[in-house]
Amino acid sequence: MSFILLGLYSDAVLGQLSYAVSEEVNRGTTVGNLAKDLNLNVQDLESRMFQVVVGSKRKYFEVNLKTGVLYVNERIDREELCAEEPKCTVSVEAVINNPLKLFRIEVEILDANDNAPLFSKKSQILQIAESTLPGVKFALSEATDRDVGKNGVNTYKLSPNEYFTLAVHNAEGAGSAELVLQKGLDREKQALINLTLTALDGGSPPKTGNSRIIINVLDNNDNLPIFSKALYKTQIAENSRPGTTVIAVNATDADEGVNGEIAFSLRSTDQDHVLDIFQIDPNSGAITVKGNIDYEIKKAFEIRVEASDRGQPPMSAHCKVLVEVIDVNDNAPEITVTSLLDRVREDAQVGTAIALVSILDKDGGRNGEVKCHITSDMPFKLESNYKNYYSLVVDGPLDRESASRYNVTITANDEGTPRLSSHSVVSVHVSDVNDNAPRFSEPSVRIYVKENSPIGATIKSVSADDADVGENGVNTEE
């Protein structure tokens, strides 16, 4: 069942509000009362052209100008908006004129437990020798849950059985489970064991997902390969070329002959994205780059490596390699301009807002820090509202008769090395104001009239011009 949680915080200096609303609520659901929280008179909202500007293509929120209420305008799917991010927010800007005021509204989208844990495969098959000693652990496929926080995968349960228990490991963001042998196997007694692994999320009530575990009990080969570390950690720069070595893992096996020969591989289960980007040498254990590493797409990778001996049946062990991706300044700032006025009057006061400008740089750290300015000398300037958000405002007198159109070039530079920049041109059209009187071509006129001139005869033609246009220009002459 959908629910709504609302919260409000304000910052009078920055003109900011924060609300919270659950995903998947009905259209029309109230988020908050902007008029009340911003201390605005509801009767003035329409006359002062109060409006909500959303940077994204979809307008998730709208304001009722009769009541001042901000409400949900479109279906909100948190997983579609923010994927696995722990906090999901949608930024909205509100503008009111006479006088101009700008407000930043951040709406946090709260997660609803609308997704159940899901295993990538309905069943997983394990080959376990009957000589395997109690206490040995076997890696199991992990479940994923599109929900986050407590609504994500919380724990695992194993169906009751005689031979195995479950070791659950809670990690940051998700958990994993290993099958632990508690009692020696006897192939002659039971050659096939069927179990059910259940993943539960932390919702109330919890949702579940199941995977069938099929265990084939085999003979011989009684020593497992052993990795030098259970967990390896390393770093690599994004955009590293294919073939670049990431790290080399090492494992040994106490058996002799083919039973002690080890082949390394990357587990094919639950890490399709890893297999597209990394590969491992089966003999040396060296992991190298295979595909494109992009910090803006994924900031870290967890690689699951398996070491198997060549015995019959083969025995295997596993380890994890955590790879942190180091950001490279490979993204130029992106400039988004939202126009507030189609035309600006030539008598517009200094400070009149023309457009809202937002800057986004997908890089992290200093590579994502951006400075923005106007590159030419014009009667306009950028005023900073808050980080990476600006208003393009009038900064000097306008005269349509001198310039009826301005092409304002906005430049954004990041602080990375090498520094990247981008440009956006905003066309500002100046509308006419009746600020020029008509002028005759001659200040005074002397006219000679012949006597006996007939009625209606033209005596003299005079002309006048007006620098203004349209109805503000010369209309008639008397």
Side-chain angles (χ1 to χ4, degrees), residues 327-475:
D327 184 39
V328 173
N329 192 25
D330 58 348
N331 288 279
E334 298 177 6
I335 303 174
T336 301
V337 178
T338 303
S339 295
L340 298 178
L341 299 174
D342 293 333
R343 292 177 176 271
V344 59
R345 290 168 57 93
E346 62 177 322
D347 62 351
Q349 296 181 358
V350 171
T352 299
I354 300 170
L356 298 180
V357 180
S358 62
I359 313 296
L360 172 66
D361 194 314
K362 295 179 181 178
D363 293 315
R366 288 188 61 82
N367 295 333
E369 295 179 7
V370 179
K371 292 182 179 179
C372 187
H373 64 279
I374 295 175
T375 57
S376 56
D377 185 16
M378 293 185 178
F380 306 99
K381 69 175 181 178
L382 287 175
E383 286 188 348
S384 177
N385 301 328
Y386 25 83
K387 184 178 180 181
N388 293 344
Y389 286 86
Y390 302 85
S391 294
L392 179 63
V393 301
V394 176
D395 191 41
L398 303 176
D399 184 6
R400 188 207 62 81
E401 289 72 38
S402 299
S404 62
R405 175 178 174 178
Y406 294 90
N407 288 324
V408 183
T409 301
I410 299 172
T411 299
N413 300 306
D414 66 26
E415 296 295 313
T417 304
R419 180 173 294 180
L420 298 179
S421 63
S422 58
H423 309 276
S424 180
V425 177
V426 181
S427 293
V428 180
H429 296 270
V430 180
S431 61
D432 187 48
V433 173
N434 192 21
D435 56 350
N436 291 279
R439 293 185 178 183
F440 283 96
S441 57
E442 300 175 71
S444 62
V445 180
R446 174 174 291 181
I447 301 173
Y448 295 92
V449 183
K450 292 181 179 181
E451 64 177 333
N452 301 322
S453 295
I455 296 174
T458 299
I459 301 173
K460 176 74 173 180
S461 294
V462 295
S463 63
D465 58 21
D466 192 319
D468 294 318
V469 295
E471 63 182 10
N472 295 330
V474 173
N475 186 35

Side-chain angles (χ1 to χ4, degrees), residues 125-415:
I125 300 175
L126 299 177
Q127 311 285 352
I128 303 178
E130 65 175 336
S131 58
T132 303
L133 299 176
V136 173
K137 298 178 180 179
F138 302 90
L140 297 174
S141 296
E142 296 177 10
T144 58
D145 194 318
R146 296 186 66 196
D147 295 320
V148 297
K150 69 176 184 179
N151 293 327
V153 176
N154 182 52
T155 190
Y156 295 83
K157 289 185 179 180
L158 185 68
S159 58
N161 69 95
E162 181 180 356
Y163 299 99
F164 296 92
T165 58
L166 204 62
V168 178
H169 307 286
N170 291 321
E172 189 173 323
S176 61
E178 293 179 309
L179 200 63
V180 183
L181 183 63
Q182 294 293 316
K183 179 181 177 180
L185 301 173
D186 186 346
R187 185 179 184 279
E188 288 68 35
K189 180 180 177 181
Q190 189 172 357
L192 184 68
I193 301 174
N194 287 293
L195 303 173
T196 299
L197 177 65
T198 301
L200 300 91
D201 65 23
S204 180
K207 293 182 180 293
T208 62
N210 295 325
S211 177
R212 182 186 178 195
I213 302 174
I214 302 172
I215 301 171
N216 293 317
V217 182
L218 308 174
D219 285 327
N220 295 337
N221 199 13
D222 54 356
N223 282 289
L224 290 166
I226 299 175
F227 280 97
S228 58
K229 295 180 181 180
L231 177 65
Y232 294 81
K233 294 182 178 181
T234 189
Q235 295 178 325
I236 191 168
E238 67 170 327
N239 302 329
S240 293
R241 294 182 177 180
T244 302
T245 299
V246 181
I247 197 173
V249 299
N250 181 58
T252 58
D253 193 311
D255 291 323
E256 294 182 352
V258 294
N259 291 336
E261 295 177 5
I262 296 175
F264 296 96
S265 62
L266 302 182
R267 287 190 60 194
S268 60
T269 305
D270 299 332
Q271 55 175 9
D272 292 342
H273 61 288
V274 169
L275 299 178
D276 293 335
I277 297 174
F278 301 100
Q279 60 188 0
I280 191 169
D281 186 299
N283 298 315
S284 67
I287 299 175
T288 56
V289 176
K290 174 184 175 184
N292 181 43
I293 299 176
D294 192 340
Y295 174 88
E296 288 70 44
I297 295 177
K298 200 165 183 66
K299 298 176 178 59
F301 293 91
E302 181 181 289
I303 305 175
R304 298 172 181 273
V305 182
E306 188 169 85
S308 301
D309 61 31
R310 302 184 189 277
Q312 292 298 325
M315 300 194 74
S316 61
H318 59 279
C319 74
K320 292 182 181 180
V321 179
L322 298 182
V323 181
E324 179 186 356
V325 180
I326 300 175
D327 184 39
V328 173
N329 192 25
D330 58 348
N331 288 279
E334 298 177 6
I335 303 174
T336 301
V337 178
T338 303
S339 295
L340 298 178
L341 299 174
D342 293 333
R343 292 177 176 271
V344 59
R345 290 168 57 93
E346 62 177 322
D347 62 351
Q349 296 181 358
V350 171
T352 299
I354 300 170
L356 298 180
V357 180
S358 62
I359 313 296
L360 172 66
D361 194 314
K362 295 179 181 178
D363 293 315
R366 288 188 61 82
N367 295 333
E369 295 179 7
V370 179
K371 292 182 179 179
C372 187
H373 64 279
I374 295 175
T375 57
S376 56
D377 185 16
M378 293 185 178
F380 306 99
K381 69 175 181 178
L382 287 175
E383 286 188 348
S384 177
N385 301 328
Y386 25 83
K387 184 178 180 181
N388 293 344
Y389 286 86
Y390 302 85
S391 294
L392 179 63
V393 301
V394 176
D395 191 41
L398 303 176
D399 184 6
R400 188 207 62 81
E401 289 72 38
S402 299
S404 62
R405 175 178 174 178
Y406 294 90
N407 288 324
V408 183
T409 301
I410 299 172
T411 299
N413 300 306
D414 66 26
E415 296 295 313

Side-chain angles (χ1 to χ4, degrees), residues 57-177:
K57 293 182 179 178
R58 298 181 61 181
K59 199 167 187 180
Y60 292 103
F61 304 99
E62 188 56 271
V63 65
N64 186 329
L65 295 180
K66 302 297 183 183
T67 63
V69 168
L70 183 70
Y71 62 88
V72 176
N73 188 51
E74 287 192 31
R75 173 180 174 266
I76 303 175
D77 186 346
R78 187 191 189 283
E79 289 73 33
E80 178 183 335
L81 274 173
C82 302
E84 300 175 356
E85 292 296 327
K87 185 175 181 179
C88 180
T89 59
V90 174
S91 295
V92 178
E93 295 173 2
V95 183
I96 193 167
N97 288 286
N98 301 322
L100 170 69
K101 287 187 179 181
L102 303 175
F103 305 94
R104 185 185 184 189
I105 304 160
E106 285 202 351
V107 183
E108 181 179 0
I109 309 302
L110 302 176
D111 185 49
N113 192 24
D114 56 346
N115 293 281
L118 180 67
F119 289 90
S120 60
K121 293 184 177 180
K122 290 295 184 181
S123 62
Q124 43 191 311
I125 300 175
L126 299 177
Q127 311 285 352
I128 303 178
E130 65 175 336
S131 58
T132 303
L133 299 176
V136 173
K137 298 178 180 179
F138 302 90
L140 297 174
S141 296
E142 296 177 10
T144 58
D145 194 318
R146 296 186 66 196
D147 295 320
V148 297
K150 69 176 184 179
N151 293 327
V153 176
N154 182 52
T155 190
Y156 295 83
K157 289 185 179 180
L158 185 68
S159 58
N161 69 95
E162 181 180 356
Y163 299 99
F164 296 92
T165 58
L166 204 62
V168 178
H169 307 286
N170 291 321
E172 189 173 323
S176 61

